[in-house]
Amino acid sequence: MELAYIPSPSRGVIHLGPIPLRGYAFCIIIGVFVAVWLGNRRWVARGGRAGTVADIAVWAVPFGLIGGRLYHVITDYELYFSEGRDWVDAFKIWEGGLGIWGAIALGAVGAWIGCRRRGIPLPAYADAVAPGIALAQALGRWGNWFNQELYGRRTDVPWALEITSSTDGRVPGLYHPTFLYESLWCIGVALLVIWADRRFKMGHGRAFALYVAAYCAGRFWVEYMRVDDAHHILGLRLNNWTALLVFLLAVIYIVVSAKKRPGREAVVEPGAADDDSGAASADKKAESDAATTEDEKTSEADDEAKPESEAKPESDAADDEAKSESEAAKAPRDEAESARKG
């Protein structure tokens, strides 16, 4: 009896009435939201407008999903077009099967369309969203856990994954949780890109290339552990060769780009700086108007208080007038008294 292992979900879908809620789809959706959220923060920090990342993601995400599905269907065509298979299953994306290579490739096409419509350089956008994409992959891999797929060799390590399903040729037992290995690796890749971008001020697509190279390095050894059916070339799985080739291309890009275009872009989104200046001017104007209003209120208060301060001189004048009248009344009495004595 095993004392410790990672249990697989008893089912990967929960029905809310007639609506199926699939764990695989939830993982993908949450990953997309995290990628957009982090990408937006990084884009604004680079001088872009808030919301631009989401606007471009409207193009990139659908293209990426289509590309990921196409790569999976093409490289594993026998699952859908061989004898006894139903080709309609190729459209059932919720059952699993997204190739990251196709998702990134066609997703980049969608991002390019969105960037072109906004007048934004694609490399700058790619640098901003790179760590978010890695985190989206880390979350998306848990969709494989819900579907009990993409596990490694048999093992008795305490963190082994228990497979209970026997459909599609699965053999129940304990296996290496390669979905977990790749998820943790992707989190490390995201942290690496964030650190390197802050430390070296990477620009012109180099932060994205670093993400690609780092992911490929991890994907190579994770792929090597998997035991699911796959096409092999010279003893290596097809995805191993893909990871190796893409890794080399990413490293070459980093080296060549650093020599030709060192540093990073000064402006990533035309007009964003003007918007910030306009907002700052508006704030200053509002502060100036507030100060002017306060001065006017102070002046009005002084005018209202002024008659009160002048009340004292008017009282003094009244006293002087009463004194004069008293002296005028006293003079005849003095004259009468003088005549009586004389």
Side-chain angles (χ1 to χ4, degrees):
M1 178 179 179
E2 299 293 336
L3 298 179
Y5 57 84
I6 301 174
S8 290
S10 58
R11 54 181 178 175
V13 57
I14 298 176
H15 289 274
L16 186 62
I19 303 175
L21 304 177
R22 302 181 182 278
Y24 186 88
F26 268 115
C27 292
I28 298 296
I29 293 172
I30 294 173
V32 170
F33 274 105
V34 170
V36 171
W37 170 78
L38 181 58
N40 181 71
R41 288 176 60 89
R42 288 172 51 81
W43 184 253
V44 172
R46 287 285 303 272
R49 294 187 180 95
T52 296
V53 169
D55 292 342
I56 297 176
V58 171
W59 289 90
V61 172
F63 272 74
L65 291 175
I66 294 173
R69 189 60 176 177
L70 282 175
Y71 181 89
H72 168 73
V73 172
I74 292 173
T75 55
D76 291 310
Y77 62 88
E78 66 278 358
L79 298 177
Y80 307 99
F81 302 105
S82 60
E83 185 178 355
R85 297 284 184 170
D86 187 356
W87 63 271
V88 177
D89 292 341
F91 297 95
K92 298 179 180 179
I93 191 173
W94 56 87
E95 293 183 354
L98 289 175
I100 186 61
W101 317 110
I104 294 297
L106 209 55
V109 174
W112 174 78
I113 295 174
C115 287
R116 186 176 178 82
R117 290 167 60 89
R118 299 290 294 267
I120 293 172
L122 177 61
Y125 180 83
D127 285 341
V129 301
I133 294 176
L135 291 180
Q137 289 179 250
L139 292 167
R141 274 307 177 198
W142 284 86
N144 302 131
W145 176 63
F146 280 102
N147 286 352
Q148 297 197 37
E149 59 186 3
L150 305 187
Y151 46 86
R153 305 185 186 96
R154 284 184 175 272
T155 183
D156 57 357
V157 296
W159 56 88
L161 172 67
E162 182 189 32
I163 296 298
T164 58
S165 174
S166 57
T167 60
D168 294 331
R170 297 184 183 91
V171 179
L174 298 178
Y175 299 86
H176 275 289
T178 52
F179 84 91
L180 177 61
Y181 299 159
E182 187 171 338
S183 178
L184 295 175
W185 183 269
C186 287
I187 293 174
V189 170
L191 296 176
L192 171 65
V193 174
I194 292 174
W195 170 81
D197 193 27
R198 290 178 178 176
R199 175 66 177 80
F200 302 106
K201 304 297 182 184
M202 306 180 78
H204 302 286
R206 288 188 290 275
F208 183 81
L210 175 62
Y211 144 71
V212 172
Y215 171 74
C216 289
R219 179 62 184 267
F220 186 89
W221 67 266
V222 170
E223 188 74 23
Y224 190 75
M225 296 180 66
R226 285 169 51 176
V227 295
D228 53 302
D229 293 333
H231 297 286
H232 287 71
I233 301 176
L234 299 178
L236 288 178
R237 295 164 64 96
L238 174 61
N239 283 333
N240 281 116
W241 287 106
T242 304
L244 181 60
L245 176 61
V246 176
F247 172 83
L248 292 175
L249 292 176
V251 172
I252 292 173
Y253 179 86
I254 292 174
V255 174
V256 174
S257 175
K259 291 182 177 179
K260 290 188 174 182
R261 307 185 72 181
R264 60 167 43 168
E265 300 88 343
V267 178
V268 296
E269 185 169 4
D274 295 337
D275 292 347
D276 293 339
S277 298
S281 299
D283 291 340
K284 290 181 179 179
K285 185 176 183 301
E287 292 176 0
S288 177
D289 292 343
T292 301
T293 303
E294 186 65 25
D295 292 340
E296 290 176 353
K297 290 181 178 179
T298 302
S299 177
E300 291 175 359
D302 292 342
D303 291 341
E304 292 176 358
K306 186 175 180 181
E308 297 178 359
S309 64
E310 293 176 351
K312 184 176 181 180
E314 291 178 357
S315 177
D316 293 344
D319 292 343
D320 293 341
E321 184 178 352
K323 185 177 181 181
S324 298
E325 292 177 354
S326 176
E327 290 177 352
K330 184 180 179 182
R333 290 198 298 269
D334 292 342
E335 290 178 1
E337 182 67 21
S338 176
R340 185 178 64 81
K341 289 181 179 180

